Amino acid sequence: DIQMTQSPSSLSASVGDRVTITCRASQGIRNYVAWFQQKPGKAPKCLIYGASSLQNGVPSTFRGSGSGTDFTLTISSLQPEDFATYYCQQYDSYPLTFGGGTKVEIK
Amino acid sequence: EVQLVESGGGLVQPGGSLRLSCTASGFSFTSSAMSWVRQAPGKGLEWVSSISGSGATADYADSVKGRFTISRDKSKNTVYLEMNSLTVEETAIYFCAKNPEYFGPNWLESWGQGTLVTVSS
């Protein structure tokens, strides 16, 4: 199985800050990574697929990058509605696997 | 607009069975593979199973293989997850999700609101 190691597990940031979350795959997975945002009590929402393609309706403040084993989600200017937990997911092969999550909290 | 509505969750005893349903609308049902993902209280996301658009192919996490069965009914636009021999560790919210393609591992582009399964005596 492909393991997805996500870091940090949590971070505190202020509105307007630039935030970076990383995911490392245990083996090369080309660009087969998606990123999700989840707010408390809600379903996850897909932000990015193909490592860098923005899902329809997702603000351009979100950017994904990387290929192979190392991937990054960047929020260029944190907005109040961005405080949430973020997950990466690999879809290079079954079983689909997720990173452990990064909780973005208000400083 | 894609809509996925799960149902069938509830309280079940350890060793018991439950069948979850996910009714889909807003897209061509047979053109999309479908998946189930679960989330234990306060924990992360865990993929459970996926089924191809035709229903001919299914994949499962090792943790549920042999106990869970995914299926779909195109006449009802519904995906099912039959769960047997449930353990307390499988208490979780179970989400239904739409894959962007007909077949194969993929990202999960749309999600339902989830249904809570509680396994307890």
Side-chain angles (χ1 to χ4, degrees):
Chain A
D1 297 2
I2 299 171
Q3 309 303 318
M4 300 296 286
T5 303
Q6 191 173 337
S7 62
S9 56
S10 66
L11 64 90
S12 295
S14 301
V15 172
D17 283 354
R18 180 185 182 91
V19 166
T20 299
I21 299 168
T22 64
C23 231
R24 174 163 287 176
S26 58
Q27 64 190 68
I29 55 172
R30 297 171 281 184
N31 67 333
Y32 293 161
V33 160
W35 290 93
F36 298 88
Q37 176 193 69
Q38 187 179 31
K39 297 181 179 178
K42 300 294 187 182
K45 171 188 172 184
C46 183
L47 302 173
I48 286 168
Y49 61 95
S52 60
S53 296
L54 221 55
Q55 185 82 330
N56 287 344
V58 174
S60 57
T61 51
F62 290 91
R63 189 174 79 89
S65 62
S67 66
T69 59
D70 294 316
F71 302 88
T72 300
L73 174 69
T74 301
I75 309 172
S76 59
S77 177
L78 202 62
Q79 299 303 301
E81 60 270 24
D82 300 336
F83 292 94
T85 300
Y86 293 85
Y87 296 92
C88 60
Q89 177 227 327
Q90 69 80 21
Y91 53 98
D92 182 80
S93 62
Y94 285 122
L96 306 180
T97 48
F98 292 88
T102 297
K103 187 173 184 178
V104 177
E105 298 176 300
I106 301 172
K107 185 183 284 186
Chain B
E1 179 195 3
V2 172
Q3 283 204 313
L4 302 170
V5 179
E6 301 95 334
S7 59
L11 176 64
V12 60
Q13 291 190 334
S17 300
L18 209 56
R19 187 177 83 157
L20 306 182
S21 301
C22 169
T23 301
S25 61
F27 64 98
S28 174
F29 183 65
T30 54
S31 295
S32 293
M34 299 292 292
S35 299
W36 288 95
V37 174
R38 65 187 178 186
Q39 185 171 38
K43 302 296 185 183
L45 302 169
E46 180 189 16
W47 172 77
V48 174
S49 182
S50 296
I51 187 168
S52 63
S54 68
T57 304
D59 291 90
Y60 298 92
D62 283 348
S63 58
V64 307
K65 205 171 289 184
R67 297 186 299 118
F68 287 18
T69 302
I70 191 171
S71 61
R72 61 194 297 162
D73 183 340
K74 64 181 180 181
S75 69
K76 296 182 179 178
N77 276 16
T78 300
V79 181
Y80 303 99
L81 186 67
E82 185 80 38
M83 306 184 295
N84 298 315
S85 303
L86 284 160
T87 68
V88 295
E89 293 77 25
E90 294 179 306
T91 292
I93 297 173
Y94 285 72
F95 295 101
C96 169
K98 174 189 179 297
N99 296 25
E101 295 178 5
Y102 174 83
F103 178 80
N106 235 306
W107 76 95
L108 304 171
E109 65 175 358
S110 300
W111 298 60
Q113 84 288 350
T115 187
L116 176 62
V117 172
T118 303
V119 186
S120 175
S121 54

